[in-house]
Amino acid sequence: MVALAHTPPSAERLRAVDGFLTEAWTDQVRHDERLRPLAVEVRFDRGVAHLTGEVDESAQLRLVREQVGRLAGVFGVWCRVRVGGRDPVVVDLGCGGTKQWPGNLGLDIFPAPGVDAVADLSGSLPLADDSVDVLFAVHILEHLIDFLPLLDECHRVLRPGGVLHVMSPWWGHVNAVADPTHVRLLDVQTVKGVCVMRPPGTPRWYPLHAGSDGASVFADLTPLGPDDDGPSATHLARFFD
């Protein structure tokens, strides 16, 4: 069972947790011969692990993110890692003037500095099928009455093995209702519903990670193909009640 915090941690506690996670990861790398030779840097910021660097194969990146995600206190694993000499294609949805990383492709309904293409996120994304490695949907889903069409579009444009990073206000925090443009409330269980309750024939997702710090909901999702196995009960039990 996953216990959700009802009071978000203080900035001091988050800094302390980041310090603990940094020490724990350093120790894990020192004792795991699979991780030691990999040129991946892991930085923790308020419980989110940020991965940068380069690996030779996608399996190596999966190994790093799986091991980082197993550390207690990690809410999400955000990646910008070169694989086989290729830079990932990273897209910020609804970025406004602030992208998660410089160099990301920014999409927003309003033109602004940092917006590379104007797009209505409630419609079709101006991106080709299987063209994106990483999508960020940070503080976006709560602004859409029906965000499932956007998730379906994300599924379409992500390459196999790509990742959608979601961050939204947790329904029980004042931030969820303080903004009058918020029209949806989200919980970690909403992420579970996205992954296991969609009708047959609709795009399916596999949760790589999901959690809440009492203020925000985090989820890292990867698209499943039509013939791929869905998440097992034991895997779901890592994140959901």
Side-chain angles (χ1 to χ4, degrees):
M1 303 286 275
V2 177
L4 299 182
H6 289 277
T7 301
S10 65
E12 181 179 359
R13 173 165 172 77
L14 286 171
R15 285 193 295 269
V17 170
D18 288 341
F20 162 78
L21 290 171
T22 300
E23 293 178 3
W25 179 247
T26 300
D27 188 60
Q28 186 164 338
V29 171
R30 185 166 53 245
H31 290 89
D32 191 331
E33 60 183 15
R34 302 171 300 171
L35 299 172
R36 284 198 300 270
L38 300 182
V40 177
E41 178 183 348
V42 180
R43 177 181 61 87
F44 297 95
D45 181 10
R46 293 170 293 176
V48 175
H50 295 263
L51 277 55
T52 54
E54 184 168 2
V55 296
D56 295 327
E57 302 173 350
S58 57
Q60 295 171 322
L61 177 56
R62 286 197 301 271
L63 171 67
V64 175
R65 69 162 300 127
E66 287 172 0
Q67 295 304 310
V68 171
R70 289 179 178 272
L71 297 178
V74 171
F75 298 121
V77 184
W78 293 7
C79 299
R80 187 182 177 89
V81 176
R82 288 169 56 90
V83 178
R86 184 178 67 83
D87 286 323
V89 177
V90 186
V91 176
D92 262 306
L93 301 175
C95 64
T98 304
K99 297 178 182 178
Q100 299 305 312
W101 283 307
N104 291 359
L105 174 66
L107 302 183
D108 201 288
I109 193 170
F110 298 114
V115 175
D116 299 292
V118 175
D120 182 354
L121 300 184
S122 63
S124 298
L125 297 178
L127 300 165
D129 295 358
D130 303 328
S131 62
V132 178
D133 296 290
V134 178
L135 282 167
F136 280 101
V138 176
H139 292 298
I140 295 302
L141 301 188
E142 65 272 16
H143 293 276
L144 301 175
I145 294 175
D146 183 4
F147 59 72
L148 292 177
L150 175 59
L151 294 187
D152 291 348
E153 277 291 284
C154 291
H155 193 286
R156 177 184 66 79
V157 305
L158 278 173
R159 293 188 173 111
V163 180
L164 168 63
H165 297 304
V166 172
M167 179 180 174
S168 286
W170 178 56
W171 71 270
H173 192 269
V174 65
N175 288 345
V177 294
D179 187 337
T181 66
H182 290 177
V183 294
R184 288 296 301 267
L185 298 176
L186 285 87
D187 186 76
V188 178
Q189 301 302 315
T190 312
V191 179
K192 181 181 180 181
V194 166
C195 294
V196 303
M197 296 179 63
R198 298 297 305 281
T202 55
R204 299 184 302 140
W205 294 93
Y206 187 94
L208 298 172
H209 214 83
S212 173
D213 63 0
S216 301
V217 173
F218 302 87
D220 300 336
L221 307 175
T222 191
L224 285 171
D227 300 322
D228 293 337
D229 292 332
S232 66
T234 52
H235 181 77
L236 293 173
R238 290 180 58 194
F239 313 122
F240 309 114
D241 291 341

